[in-house]
Amino acid sequence: MRIVVLVSGTGSNLQAVIDAVADGSLPLEIAAVGADRPDTFGVERSAAAGLETFVVNFKDYAARADWDAALLEAVAAYKPDYVVSSGFMRIVAPSFINAFEGRYVNTHPALLPSFPGAHGVRDAIAYGVKVTGCTVHFADAGVDTGPIIAQTPVTVLPEDTEETLHERIKVAERELLIQVLGDLARA
Ligand code: GRF
């Protein structure tokens, strides 16, 4: 199984996947890592691991449709079986979803369908839920929508800040992502 991983940020989930592949516990090949912006830690991690790394910089494109087309072309070139959005902070175009229908996996730091969007952890705290968590799902053209593959609950502690809660969620998120990718790879 070949995957392309898309990142926007620090790439700690990506690092967990890289490590699991390296130690033999995750039977797949990371064909490439792509980002929507240059100079992120995620891109650095990927390059440091010797992986094919590409950037389709959102800011380089005057028209959104041109960026959409460039991203699709860049990812499709690697002929991945699955594309993994791991902290990739862009909604992709319907053309991308169509090209990778049922093969575009997203991770989200909340128990969907609760708290979709870019601030899932902050929104869960603001609402006052006592349990939140993480979701790995097949993404469709909506914001954090599409069939859920697996979820892990995480308890919200009274003293939690967005940062402390997100860190605990990310521990669960990494484990869940690796479990799901392993299941897909072994299927
Ligand atoms: C993850 O919690 C992801 O679900 C969210 O942003 C975080 C990405 O973290 N959207 P990292 O880039 O893998 O460190």
Side-chain angles (χ1 to χ4, degrees):
M1 180 169 115
R2 287 162 61 79
I3 64 170
V4 168
V5 183
L6 299 178
V7 296
S8 297
T10 59
S12 61
N13 287 345
L14 164 68
Q15 188 66 55
V17 174
I18 292 172
D19 293 345
V21 171
D23 74 16
S25 55
L26 190 54
L28 58 77
E29 182 195 340
I30 303 173
V33 174
D36 61 335
R37 62 194 76 173
D39 305 325
T40 64
F41 197 37
V43 166
E44 245 177 69
R45 287 180 199 270
S46 169
L51 296 170
E52 279 271 332
T53 307
F54 64 90
V55 176
V56 183
N57 190 354
F58 194 77
K59 294 209 170 118
D60 286 349
Y61 295 81
R64 165 77 207 218
D66 293 338
W67 180 82
D68 288 331
L71 180 73
L72 176 53
E73 192 185 329
V75 173
Y78 293 100
K79 301 196 186 327
D81 298 301
Y82 289 91
V83 181
V84 180
S85 156
S86 179
F88 188 57
M89 304 306 278
R90 303 262 174 216
I91 301 302
V92 296
S95 54
F96 190 98
I97 297 295
N98 290 339
F100 299 106
E101 174 127 47
R103 299 188 294 133
Y104 185 41
V105 175
N106 182 43
T107 70
H108 183 72
L111 293 176
L112 294 172
S114 294
F115 312 119
H119 304 293
V121 180
R122 186 189 307 172
D123 294 346
I125 290 181
Y127 195 93
V129 293
K130 305 304 175 206
V131 177
T132 182
C134 52
T135 303
V136 177
H137 66 109
F138 290 116
D140 63 19
V143 178
D144 297 319
T145 55
I148 290 171
I149 306 169
Q151 296 182 302
T152 305
V154 174
T155 301
V156 182
L157 303 176
E159 65 273 23
D160 262 332
T161 61
E162 183 179 354
E163 288 69 33
T164 59
L165 179 57
H166 201 169
E167 273 316 306
R168 274 203 325 290
I169 290 173
K170 278 166 78 164
V171 172
E173 203 177 356
R174 283 171 212 141
E175 225 173 87
L176 192 67
L177 178 61
I178 285 167
Q179 182 202 310
V180 166
L181 291 178
D183 289 348
L184 290 172
R186 292 180 195 99

